[in-house]
Each structure stands twice: as C-alpha cells, then as structure tokens.
Amino acid sequence: MFSRLLRNLSVERLACGALICITGVAAAGAAQAQSNEVGVYSGRHYNTDKQLYQQFTAKTGIAVKLLEAKDDALIERVRNEGQNSPADVLVLVDAARLDKAADLGLFRSSPSAALMRDVPLNLRDSKGRWFGLTRRVRVAIVNPALVNPASIRSYADLAQPALKGKLCLRDRKSVYNQSLVADQLILRGDAVAKGQCGVGLVNSYYVARLLSGDSGAADRALASRLKVVFPDPAHVNISGAGVLKTARNPSAALKLIEFLASPTGGRGYAEANHEYPLKGYGDNPVLKRLGSFKADGVSAEQMGAKNQAAVRLMEANGWQ
Ligand SMILES: [Fe+2]
C-alpha cells in the first residue's frame, strides 16, 4: 500500500518533468502596443497560475503571453534567444535555479520599493535580480505502520539506523534535494541521509494537493493515511522571478512581479497550488490542517551559493 502511495507521490517527479507549453493566456494581438503585453517564461507547472495572470490583465490591461516548460530548458532558451527573446519575465522554481540564472547574467537588477516591502530579505537576491513569490517546505511523509512519526523531528533523524531500508528519496539530480542538502550544509556542515520506504521527503504542496482531493478521491484516501512531519526547523524553498536583461518591456515585467509578490496577488498564486505565501501561513484549509512550521532561516541566496558543494557532497556519499 505504501509503495503505491509513494508511486503516487512520484507525481513530484512526473509533474516536474513534464514539458507543458501553453501560449497566450490572454490573446495578444500583433497590433497591440508593446507596452500592453508581457512575455512570461515559467517553470512553474501548475495550471492554477493562469487565473492570477488573468487577474493581472484585468487589473492593468497588460496581456500575459505565457510559455511553460522545464526550468532548465527555459534558462537555455533565454540564453539562445538572446536579444530576440519574446520573454520579459523568467519564473523559476527553486532558489538554486534562480541563482544560476542570475549567475548567467540573464536578469537585470530591479530596484522596486514594493518588492523590498513585500518580499522578505531572505527570500530575494541581495542585488535585486530575482524575488521569491511563493514558499514550499520540504516535509517528511511517514507511514505510521512502518515508522513512528515521533521519531522524526529533524532532517538529521532521517539518518538513524532504524530507518535503514525504509527511507525513500529522489535522486541526486533533484534540485529540491540539492537545495535541502545545501540548506543542511549551511546549518550543520554535514550530510543528510541516503537510502531506500517508510519515510519519504516531498515538497509540501504535493502532499497538500493529494489531501485536497484535487488529484481524485483515491489519492486523497491514500494520502490521509500518511503522517506529515515538518522537521524542526524546516527547510523552506521558493519559486520566484526576475526581469530579464533582454526584456523588451521591463516596466510591465516589473509590474507583473510586483503584482505576484503583493499580498493580494501573492496569496492567490500560492494558495491555488497549495503553497505558502511569502509571509505567514495563508488561509488554505488543507495546509492549515497540516499545522505550522518553523522556518530554519537559511536564505534562498545562501542555498543557491552552496548548490555545487551540495551536489559534490551527495556524489561523495553515494547518493545516486
Ligand atoms: Fe514541483
């Protein structure tokens, strides 16, 4: 039963791996003035985002032309397109990817009083090149029939000998796990566990999505047999965005990011996908049922900077 559940939770892998291309959330006629259109490349793979882009269009009159694809593919695409890119905004999931895009020189600095106010310091780039928009927590999901949920209080507890053969983790290429290891390196200077399933690690929105019933009643029933544990303190990651250096319409791009980071826009962006807003816990009833967490305080920028060291550590410890 639990292996079936974990297979279901490999929605994390499937959803993240899927290449979805959607163009033209709002129809943007060629005749339209350029100032009325913003091109968005997004690595977020959640259908619910489109509602927020539509709200932005209704509020500002600026049409959003959207292309969704895998984060790394989008980074490559922006690099290849250069000045010819129709994109103004690049939305990516995971701090390490945002940091990588900034290192590649893809983003421009966006001085914005609204973003300074709405995005906490630890959830944005210190040079103003990218800004967090939503938060997700790396949680442990436990099968209480196999593992005592109370035995897992921290990520380090996943290394306890009693869990040998019962722990399921995604492979080394998962940027979510790389960021978790980077996070633990910063906090502990030490590795986390590897291994084979009584416990798995997933981003909070995947399990919340199953519990919400969005993926069907059968998945909800399976997920409800799990215990979700927030390690204390918890590793918090982000999705975020920046204005591209090659943007043709940087002012509309900044307006969109400001809208998505604002308390109103940001709440919708996070809630629909069962993520946490930039501040507080939000009003999503499924997330409320999971309880609250204490963020470990490691900044998104720190995690990005430690990504390479994390990958080396994972390699050195045989994390496949
Ligand atoms: Fe994801």
Side-chain angles (χ1 to χ4, degrees):
M1 190 278 285
F2 195 63
S3 64
R4 189 181 150 206
L5 181 62
L6 283 167
R7 251 200 323 278
N8 276 298
L9 282 165
S10 71
V11 287
E12 177 169 306
R13 177 193 297 268
L14 292 174
C16 289
L19 179 76
I20 322 157
C21 294
I22 302 148
T23 321
V25 158
Q32 228 165 352
Q34 208 181 67
S35 62
N36 280 335
E37 187 178 299
V38 62
V40 177
Y41 282 0
S42 175
R44 282 172 59 93
H45 45 80
Y46 328 119
N47 297 327
T48 49
D49 289 356
K50 280 175 223 107
Q51 294 157 19
L52 263 294
Y53 300 139
Q54 278 158 3
Q55 276 179 34
F56 173 73
T57 301
K59 191 175 167 238
T60 61
I62 301 169
V64 175
K65 286 201 81 175
L66 175 68
L67 174 80
E68 288 184 346
K70 281 163 75 174
D71 302 73
D72 294 331
L74 290 175
I75 289 174
E76 274 317 296
R77 190 173 173 131
V78 168
R79 292 180 77 188
N80 292 335
E81 289 174 340
Q83 297 295 333
N84 298 321
S85 179
D88 298 291
V89 173
L90 179 60
V91 182
L92 297 170
V93 301
D94 200 282
R97 290 197 181 112
L98 288 158
D99 190 66
K100 177 183 166 191
D103 279 351
L104 291 169
L106 301 188
F107 294 132
R108 64 176 71 197
S109 257
S110 298
S112 156
L115 289 174
M116 300 294 137
R117 181 194 63 219
D118 291 337
V119 185
L121 197 58
N122 66 326
L123 304 178
R124 55 178 153 90
D125 176 46
S126 58
K127 299 193 181 90
R129 295 168 298 180
W130 50 263
F131 303 86
L133 295 173
T134 61
R135 295 186 301 154
R136 58 274 300 281
V137 180
R138 202 84 179 138
V139 295
I141 48 166
V142 183
N143 177 355
L146 293 177
V147 171
N148 176 9
S151 69
I152 296 161
R153 291 204 288 269
S154 71
Y155 296 102
D157 287 340
L158 296 172
Q160 61 189 280
L163 290 183
K164 202 167 174 33
K166 293 181 183 167
L167 178 65
C168 283
L169 297 171
R170 285 177 61 184
D171 65 29
R172 185 174 79 213
K173 292 201 188 84
S174 158
V175 71
Y176 296 152
N177 281 336
Q178 292 173 8
S179 286
L180 171 65
V181 173
D183 176 277
Q184 296 294 296
L185 260 176
I186 291 157
L187 289 178
R188 299 171 184 276
D190 201 358
V192 280
K194 63 152 189 125
Q196 281 275 329
C197 277
V199 186
L201 275 181
V202 296
N203 283 350
S204 42
Y205 58 90
Y206 291 107
V207 66
R209 191 185 295 158
L210 294 180
L211 286 169
S212 72
D214 290 1
S215 326
D219 280 351
R220 175 160 56 188
L222 277 169
S224 64
R225 283 177 219 154
L226 286 172
K227 180 91 177 75
V228 176
V229 176
F230 288 100
D232 183 17
H235 161 52
V236 178
N237 208 323
I238 56 169
S239 73
V243 179
L244 289 167
K245 206 169 258 174
T246 51
R248 296 170 184 186
N249 196 351
S251 71
L254 189 55
K255 259 190 205 144
L256 175 63
I257 296 175
E258 286 174 345
F259 170 73
L260 294 173
S262 71
T264 330
R267 192 181 166 134
Y269 209 43
E271 215 158 86
N273 183 45
H274 306 293
E275 290 177 272
Y276 295 96
L278 292 169
K279 298 172 185 174
Y281 299 98
D283 290 323
N284 182 322
V286 180
L287 291 180
K288 278 191 164 165
R289 242 189 296 143
L290 295 184
S292 59
F293 60 89
K294 193 173 117 233
D296 65 19
V298 173
S299 78
E301 193 172 6
Q302 280 176 303
M303 281 185 266
K306 273 273 187 272
N307 177 267
Q308 289 308 310
V311 173
R312 282 196 299 273
L313 184 66
M314 291 162 96
E315 276 167 8
N317 283 277
W319 192 327
Q320 298 294 305

